[in-house]
Every structure is written in structure tokens, then in C-alpha cells.
Amino acid sequence: MTAPVRSRRARRGLIVRIPEAEPSVRGWRERLDPSARAGVPAHVTVLFPFLDESRMDALVCSALADVLRRHQAFDLRFERCGRLPEVLHLVPEPDTPLRQLTEAVADRWPEAPPYGGRFAEIVPHLTIAQGQEDAVLEEIEADLAGRIPFTSHVASVELMVHDGVKWQERASFALGE
């Protein structure tokens, strides 16, 4: 038996955890969202991918803490589902504070554009399922109709690192109060 192959370069991302979503979406995410099976909690992505591990040092962590501390903690409400190509997600409202966090980090590190620059628009969302037929997505939406709305207080941003097998939290950065 051979050991799992681990990536030499760990991937990094910044997220806001949404623990209030877990009771409603955990089962669906574990089945239909590969990131959940790899250890990522219910979340909204702030910036992915973030800097290469060779760039991550105490100065970058300090600068990231400074950037994030300039933004006030905020509440999000999740009342409805939305769809992106091949993705069913919960829509955070208002999404402006999330967009502002993404823009602030990307402005500070322009070499780390959101989603590697693949998308022109920032669309904050909490992914539930990916790559499923419409009938499956409709089943999930019907199930979630009785489990939403809920509200989440966002007071920090987490740095998540993927080692080639699992995602783990490496640091947490508080927002201003």
C-alpha cells in the first residue's frame, strides 16, 4: 500500500465560516460538494487561491490582519438558493461586506485575483452542490425551503490550507468590531 500523494505546494484560501448553515446543508455538502469531503466547513469564500506557501510569512500574516481589521464584523442572512453554472448555493444578504473583503485583499495582493482571475464578477455564495442534474438540485432546494432562513454573524476570516488531501484552518483574522 502506498501513501497518498501530497501536493508539494499547498493551496490556500480565505473563507468566512457559516456554522449556522451546517445543520441545514452538511448532509448535502458531504455528498455533493468535494470541498466538504476534504474538510472545508460551510463557508463563503473571500479569496481563492491566496498566496503561494513560499510567500506566507509573518509579514504577510501581519499585513492580512491589518487589511481585515479595517472591516467591521457584520451579519449575513441566508433566505434563498441561487444557481451558478453547475453550482447550487445559498445567497448571502447583504453581499456587499463580503465583496468588500474580497476586493480589499485582492487590492493588497493583486497577484492573487479572486478565483485566479477566471471570473469577471465576484459572486459571494455558500456552495451546497456541484455538477448535479437539475432534478437533484430541485430536490435539494425543496429540502432547504423548510430549513432557511437563518442569520450568521461574521467576525473573522480564516486562512485554510490544502495539503493535497485535506483542508485545515491555519490562522484566523479578526474583523473590527
Side-chain angles (χ1 to χ4, degrees):
M1 185 168 156
T2 60
V5 176
R6 292 183 183 256
S7 169
R8 285 189 203 158
R9 293 185 178 251
R11 294 181 293 162
R12 288 168 170 38
L14 298 168
I15 67 168
V16 293
R17 289 178 184 260
I18 309 295
E20 296 81 0
E22 291 290 354
S24 301
V25 303
R26 178 182 298 125
W28 293 114
R29 288 187 70 243
E30 286 175 355
R31 284 182 39 216
L32 305 173
D33 179 5
S35 74
R37 291 189 300 272
V40 180
H43 71 283
V44 177
T45 299
V46 172
L47 187 71
F48 177 83
F50 192 49
L51 301 176
D52 184 84
E53 67 185 298
S54 66
R55 298 271 320 275
M56 292 300 300
D57 60 18
L59 291 175
V60 167
C61 288
S62 177
L64 185 57
D66 287 344
V67 167
L68 295 171
R69 190 175 18 250
R70 291 183 201 134
H71 295 266
Q72 298 300 306
F74 55 93
D75 289 335
L76 292 174
R77 186 135 172 99
F78 294 84
E79 296 182 351
R80 62 187 173 91
C81 292
R83 294 201 190 175
L84 295 167
E86 297 188 16
V87 173
L88 176 70
H89 62 92
L90 291 178
V91 178
E93 296 175 341
D95 69 0
T96 301
L98 294 162
R99 289 174 190 267
Q100 290 171 340
L101 288 173
T102 299
E103 290 165 354
V105 176
D107 286 350
R108 173 60 180 81
W109 289 279
E111 66 274 31
Y115 298 99
R118 290 183 13 220
F119 305 106
E121 184 181 1
I122 298 166
V123 181
H125 61 281
L126 190 156
T127 299
I128 301 166
Q130 298 183 42
Q132 302 300 308
E133 300 289 327
D134 281 344
V136 173
L137 300 182
E138 289 164 10
E139 176 188 355
I140 298 167
E141 284 185 89
D143 176 65
L144 291 176
R147 300 173 185 244
I148 53 179
F150 61 86
T151 300
S152 183
H153 183 70
V154 176
S156 64
V157 173
E158 278 61 55
L159 172 64
M160 300 291 290
V161 177
H162 189 264
D163 64 8
V165 177
K166 285 293 229 186
W167 284 96
Q168 296 180 9
E169 181 181 317
R170 284 290 166 84
S172 182
F173 302 91
L175 299 176
E177 287 297 325

